[in-house]
Amino acid sequence: MLDEADQRILKALRQDGRKTNAALADAVGLSPSACLRRLRLLESRGVIRGYTAIIEEPQDRDTVTVIVQITLDRQTEEHLSRFEGAVKRLPEVRDCFLMTGLSDYLLRVEVQDASDYERVHKEQLSRLPGVARIQSSFAIRRVIGARG
């Protein structure tokens, strides 16, 4: 169970994961030793699984984001695993989520334009194992991006 101090640590790390322990401790109102102890516990318990850099796509890069809902013909463990293994190999797929609801997977696909997406749809997505239905929506603009 996360207490208030743990929540403050996580919030501060989401804003800046490169804070030194002293700066983190100051930001959350703990002594450096108490902060480091809590940080190590959060890491060992798997609450903090790692640290990463959030890379902003260059503004001059003209890409189109397509949100794709995929429904499989069967939802057995074997079918899910085969699909997931294959979709991980597609460079245009930036995110893939196993979902509840009407579709089995939600993908975020980055392409150059509509004709590039047509190629990805025909040559890659429709050929993924077990795909029964694909529903695509083109994003107009990003309102909120990755924040960690």
Side-chain angles (χ1 to χ4, degrees):
M1 194 74 180
L2 300 178
D3 65 13
E4 191 175 316
D6 291 337
Q7 294 288 349
R8 289 193 312 266
I9 290 171
L10 295 176
K11 182 178 179 183
L13 288 174
R14 282 187 184 102
Q15 293 170 349
D16 181 2
R18 292 182 54 137
K19 283 185 188 292
T20 64
N21 183 62
L24 182 61
D26 186 52
V28 300
L30 294 172
S31 71
S33 60
C35 184
L36 186 59
R37 181 179 50 78
R38 284 177 173 270
L39 187 61
R40 297 296 181 241
L41 279 171
L42 290 168
E43 291 170 346
S44 69
R45 291 175 33 211
V47 175
I48 297 174
R49 295 181 306 179
Y51 299 88
T52 188
I54 299 171
I55 310 299
E56 184 64 33
E57 295 291 334
Q59 292 298 325
D60 61 345
R61 183 173 171 207
D62 292 324
T63 60
V64 175
T65 300
V66 186
I67 304 302
V68 182
Q69 296 177 45
I70 294 187
T71 303
L72 301 182
D73 54 9
R74 299 184 68 193
Q75 289 77 30
T76 65
E77 188 64 37
E78 178 188 345
H79 281 79
L80 297 175
S81 293
R82 285 180 48 224
F83 175 86
E84 291 174 13
V87 79
K88 287 176 183 178
R89 293 189 293 271
L90 303 181
E92 295 86 357
V93 176
R94 303 301 169 94
D95 293 301
C96 178
F97 301 93
L98 177 62
M99 303 296 291
T100 62
L102 298 177
S103 59
D104 296 310
Y105 289 93
L106 182 75
L107 282 59
R108 181 175 65 89
V109 176
E110 294 286 333
V111 292
Q112 295 303 310
D113 53 30
S115 64
D116 190 29
Y117 179 68
E118 180 180 14
R119 175 193 59 79
V120 170
H121 185 283
K122 280 186 199 176
E123 297 175 9
Q124 297 176 1
L125 298 178
S126 64
R127 295 179 184 177
L128 288 169
V131 170
R133 186 176 61 229
I134 300 172
Q135 182 176 337
S136 308
S137 300
F138 282 73
I140 296 171
R141 68 180 164 91
R142 175 177 284 175
V143 176
I144 298 174
R147 292 189 263 182

